[in-house]
Amino acid sequence: MYAQMIKTASNGIKPREEMSEEERAFQDKIDNDIKIEPRDWMPEDYRRTLIRQIGQHAHSEVVGQLPEGNWITRAPTLERKAILLAKVQDEAGHGLYLYSAAETLGVSRDELIELLHEGKMKYSSIFNYPTLNWADIGAVGWLVDGAAIVNQVALQRTSYGPYARAMVRICKEESFHARQGYDAIRAMAFGTPEQKRQAQDALNRLWFPALMMFGPSDAESTHSEQSMAWKIKVKSNDELRQQFVDQTIPQIEYLKLDLPDPNIKWNEERGHYDFSEPDWPEFFNVIKGNGPCNVDRMKDRVAAWDDGEWVRDGLLAHARKKAARKVAAE
Amino acid sequence: MKNEWPLWEIFIRGQHGLSHRHVGSLHAPDAEMAVKNARDVYTRRNEGVSIWVVEAKHIAASSPSEKGPLFEPSESKIYRHPTFYDIPDEVGHM
Ligand SMILES: [Fe+2]
Ligand SMILES: [Fe+2]
């Protein structure tokens, strides 16, 4: 998802007999759905895993602004432009909520940003795909934010209080994101034949990358078990992916677009849609840094950080000078 | 000197007549900018009519290990609640 393939800091789940008294009390709290708060005792591995996951989630919100920002100046109408601006601004806020949640675990925002820029932390694979035209912007809101919602709704029940509360805030804003995207793609799907063709093309290109957002299949995600026991993760990758597919197919059908995968079929027995797995080698390749836009995204992020340095330093110098003057006057 | 902007805790009054509530935090060089940033981040959809900002380092908090001594004593004092008292029906609402 926005946090894919988070390595759990520990090796496997500790059996209860081997837990210390503190660890046992901690696990009992989690099992009873009592939230863990910043100053509560927590295992070091829980803290480290959370920093990785929340940090990656935060980075994804921020980097996720780039593919959409790409179209702000070229939105087809003033209204669509205002909507897209508001949406992208929300994503900056989501990044902020999440960095703040991570900071309660004893890491600073600047440290996390440095780790991202040094390539030591990641963001979601989805943002390494390009947005080639306006239909892609509709498809991103509809599918990418749609997939994010499925994950984030589940995470509202995550065990770490500040993370869960950030998810609640974010979810409130996300449904606007998905709806504005669907509204934009709907205008094209019911527009001219050329617009409809572009809508179909956007769906076809973004469908599998959207499915990859949930991370590798459960059989392959080796680090899930401990994260599930700690309720850092609430549902498995495959469960969330299925939920997303099930909710999205009727939306595609409404648009009268062709399904992006010939194997999509309602399975009466399972009560779910069957669908093809995404191309996992492609996924791992994108994660490794070889997607179509990895290099550009990092270049833009680092440039924004470096170019903004004089502003950050200038404002801080001014604040310090003012504070010193006030002290001197007292 | 480390040049990271300090962290501020943000409190918002949601509507007239309600108290300010903690909504989250943000970084800002000074109080004035913290208020401006809080407005941009936490009140974009009519969530507030007033903002307080407090630099995080100025907040003193109770420690989780004191939870027992601090809060348990009140658990046994059920006579502090109105429901502890039986008022005869004949007396009417009280
Ligand atoms: Fe978001
Ligand atoms: Fe979003």
Side-chain angles (χ1 to χ4, degrees):
Chain A
M1 173 32 49
Y2 273 27
Q4 298 155 318
M5 301 188 63
I6 301 301
K7 267 204 197 111
T8 305
S10 70
N11 314 308
I13 301 181
K14 220 186 231 184
R16 204 174 161 81
E17 316 77 79
E18 284 174 29
M19 287 182 187
S20 68
E21 205 170 305
E22 276 169 323
E23 286 173 317
R24 226 171 292 153
F26 173 83
Q27 190 62 51
D28 287 345
K29 262 167 112 177
I30 289 184
D31 294 343
N32 290 314
D33 284 327
I34 297 173
K35 296 278 184 243
I36 307 301
E37 295 296 342
R39 289 156 51 100
D40 293 345
W41 185 89
M42 61 187 82
E44 188 50 25
D45 287 345
Y46 174 83
R47 198 181 68 83
R48 286 217 306 263
T49 307
L50 266 177
I51 289 175
R52 262 183 225 152
Q53 176 165 332
I54 302 174
Q56 193 182 113
H57 198 154
H59 296 327
S60 300
E61 301 286 352
V62 173
V63 176
Q65 294 177 103
L66 296 171
E68 289 181 294
N70 181 31
W71 280 89
I72 289 174
T73 55
R74 291 174 287 169
T77 67
L78 186 57
E79 187 184 61
R80 296 274 182 212
K81 182 175 180 167
I83 291 170
L84 185 57
L85 257 176
K87 196 261 188 202
V88 172
Q89 191 186 9
D90 277 355
E91 303 301 1
H94 296 178
L96 176 77
Y97 307 155
L98 287 158
Y99 284 126
S100 299
E103 285 185 293
T104 64
L105 292 159
V107 65
S108 81
R109 182 174 67 177
D110 286 10
E111 279 172 71
L112 289 171
I113 291 174
E114 255 165 54
L115 287 169
L116 173 71
H117 292 178
E118 287 165 6
K120 291 180 186 151
M121 282 186 91
K122 302 220 177 294
Y123 52 88
S124 175
S125 59
I126 187 72
F127 301 120
N128 291 314
Y129 290 86
T131 44
L132 302 176
N133 54 44
W134 179 254
D136 286 13
I137 296 302
V140 164
W142 169 35
L143 301 173
V144 176
D145 290 74
I149 291 170
V150 167
N151 180 53
Q152 294 177 145
V153 164
L155 281 175
Q156 292 182 102
R157 303 199 327 269
T158 193
S159 61
Y160 188 56
Y163 193 24
R165 290 190 287 275
M167 285 302 114
V168 170
R169 289 193 76 83
I170 287 176
C171 285
K172 273 192 202 148
E173 300 181 349
E174 286 292 355
S175 75
F176 147 57
H177 298 178
R179 291 174 72 134
Q180 65 81 33
Y182 194 66
D183 190 66
I185 201 100
R186 189 163 64 106
M188 295 192 71
F190 295 129
T192 64
E194 174 55 18
Q195 286 174 323
K196 181 170 182 176
R197 192 195 61 77
Q198 288 186 15
Q200 182 70 56
D201 170 61
L203 169 62
N204 293 350
R205 271 183 296 108
L206 286 165
W207 173 254
F208 285 110
L211 294 190
M212 292 174 192
M213 289 173 66
F214 298 96
S217 71
D218 293 349
E220 282 206 46
S221 41
T222 39
H223 301 286
S224 290
E225 214 185 345
Q226 179 64 73
S227 284
M228 297 280 271
W230 278 336
K231 294 189 188 158
I232 289 176
K233 231 175 143 162
V234 180
K235 284 186 181 178
S236 81
N237 296 354
D238 286 336
E239 249 179 294
L240 292 166
R241 191 168 11 249
Q242 181 73 60
Q243 196 182 326
F244 171 71
V245 170
D246 289 348
Q247 78 177 36
T248 307
I249 304 299
Q251 297 165 358
I252 299 174
E253 285 167 346
Y254 177 85
L255 297 175
K256 300 202 165 52
L257 294 177
D258 297 333
L259 295 174
D261 161 14
N263 293 324
I264 291 174
K265 220 174 82 219
W266 177 252
N267 183 324
E268 193 65 56
E269 214 170 292
R270 293 199 309 127
H272 292 292
Y273 285 96
D274 291 336
F275 57 96
S276 311
E277 290 279 307
D279 179 352
W280 291 119
E282 174 184 316
F283 168 76
F284 288 111
N285 200 34
V286 172
I287 290 268
K288 255 194 244 137
N290 305 320
C293 300
N294 297 56
V295 174
D296 281 351
R297 299 294 186 237
M298 283 312 293
K299 204 179 81 207
D300 289 346
R301 277 315 309 155
V302 172
W305 182 250
D306 291 347
D307 294 349
E309 190 177 6
W310 69 274
V311 180
R312 295 192 301 276
D313 289 354
L315 285 173
L316 194 61
H318 175 68
R320 280 178 181 150
K321 207 164 77 184
K322 255 193 341 195
R325 245 189 238 140
K326 206 176 146 204
V327 171
E330 272 163 10
Chain B
M1 197 186 286
K2 214 177 87 203
N3 267 0
E4 184 159 12
W5 288 353
L7 189 69
W8 300 77
E9 297 300 332
I10 311 302
F11 301 81
I12 305 260
R13 185 197 299 286
Q15 287 169 39
H16 292 290
L18 297 183
S19 45
H20 287 75
R21 238 187 89 207
H22 183 244
V23 292
S25 44
L26 51 77
H27 288 273
D30 57 23
E32 194 188 327
M33 284 298 294
V35 170
K36 287 196 173 126
N37 290 350
R39 175 224 171 245
D40 285 347
V41 177
Y42 293 110
T43 66
R44 288 202 306 284
R45 292 183 176 83
N46 296 321
E47 290 99 332
V49 295
S50 163
I51 298 170
W52 286 353
V53 302
V54 184
E55 205 178 326
K57 69 174 184 207
H58 294 310
I59 293 184
S62 64
S63 113
S65 62
E66 291 170 317
K67 214 160 110 194
L70 284 179
F71 307 117
E72 270 162 27
S74 76
E75 279 171 23
S76 56
K77 299 181 175 53
I78 49 172
Y79 49 84
R80 287 180 173 174
H81 298 274
T83 45
F84 180 73
Y85 304 94
D86 280 329
I87 302 295
D89 285 347
E90 297 90 304
V91 176
H93 177 74
M94 182 178 282

